[in-house]
Amino acid sequence: MKLIGIVDTTFARYDMASSAIDELYKTGTGFEIKRYTVPGIKDTPVAALRLFSEYNCDLVMAFGMPGPMPVDKMSAQIASTGLMEVQLKTMKHILEVFVHEDEAKDDRELAWLCDNRSREHAVNAYYLLFEPDKLTENAGSGLRQGFEDRGPVNS
Ligand code: RDL
Ligand code: RDL
Ligand code: RDL
């Protein structure tokens, strides 16, 4: 049995973790979930580290919503760097599922984007843990999470 850690925030304006958990259970079995909610994105790296070191998670998904202001973009960069450090230190994957609030043109699209990106990265998390060949099959195919896939280029 694998353990998937889920880190999310109260700052985000959409419950992305619930979308991902729903999608994980639709995708397969063989895992349990441990969820850890923190106030904001800068609090996610230590939550992820604790999920690995204290709860022995095999992979963590970190959900966050950077706001539109320069200070928020800076927070996102700091959070992302922290999440990288935790991955290198633990040798375990953290899927960083961030949706920037200004990626969407209105609240309705923002909600759709959050749900869709969370679900698509949930499938990526499942593949990383259980079926890594599925990712290799899709190598170079221009996949995106949330908005439409870009697709491959042909020579
Ligand atoms: O440790 C408490 C807070 O500093 C932490 O929760 C921050 O991540 C909160 N926060 C900001 O301070 C900020 O300027 C967040 C953002 N911007 C943001 O855009 N998204 C967040 N948190 O999730
Ligand atoms: O951990 C899950 C994702 O955060 C991770 O796969 C990112 O590398 C995905 N990604 C972005 O989030 C992004 O904003 C990528 C790009 N831009 C990019 O330009 N090229 C990528 N990934 O390969
Ligand atoms: O070029 C258009 C988009 O690919 C670009 O805006 C990406 O940066 C959007 N994006 C994020 O901003 C992000 O934080 C993506 C991800 N995360 C992601 O995980 N997967 C994406 N885009 O496909």
Side-chain angles (χ1 to χ4, degrees):
M1 187 64 70
K2 303 264 192 198
L3 188 58
I4 298 177
I6 300 278
V7 180
D8 66 344
T9 70
T10 56
F11 190 103
R13 299 180 57 212
Y14 190 88
D15 181 6
M16 296 184 263
S18 289
S19 299
I21 291 167
D22 180 63
E23 194 66 28
L24 281 167
Y25 285 131
K26 283 181 179 162
T27 306
T29 56
F31 59 86
E32 286 173 354
I33 284 169
K34 172 71 191 162
R35 184 168 176 176
Y36 186 160
T37 306
V38 294
I41 44 178
K42 284 193 279 181
D43 312 309
T44 59
V46 74
L49 184 58
R50 290 190 66 202
L51 285 170
F52 287 131
S53 60
E54 294 174 25
Y55 294 90
N56 213 19
C57 284
D58 296 286
L59 177 149
V60 165
M61 300 186 74
F63 298 89
M65 183 176 287
M69 305 303 286
V71 69
D72 300 318
K73 301 294 181 191
M74 210 182 299
S75 289
Q77 184 60 55
I78 291 163
S80 192
T81 306
L83 292 170
M84 290 299 158
E85 272 184 44
V86 173
Q87 291 183 83
L88 297 175
K89 188 179 183 141
T90 57
M91 286 200 284
K92 296 204 173 132
H93 283 291
I94 300 173
L95 286 192
E96 179 196 288
V97 188
F98 283 4
V99 174
H100 293 252
E101 202 175 341
D102 56 9
E103 281 186 80
K105 62 179 184 300
D106 54 31
D107 281 3
R108 189 188 152 96
E109 186 178 66
L110 184 62
W112 170 85
L113 180 60
C114 286
D115 181 65
N116 209 35
R117 181 167 295 161
S118 301
R119 289 179 185 279
E120 295 197 304
H121 271 313
V123 175
N124 284 334
Y126 184 85
Y127 287 166
L128 274 173
L129 271 185
F130 295 103
E131 297 185 56
D133 289 351
K134 286 264 174 67
L135 291 168
T136 308
E137 280 168 25
N138 283 320
S141 58
L143 298 191
R144 298 291 185 270
Q145 295 77 36
F147 292 119
E148 215 180 310
D149 293 338
R150 287 284 281 141
V153 284
N154 298 306
S155 53

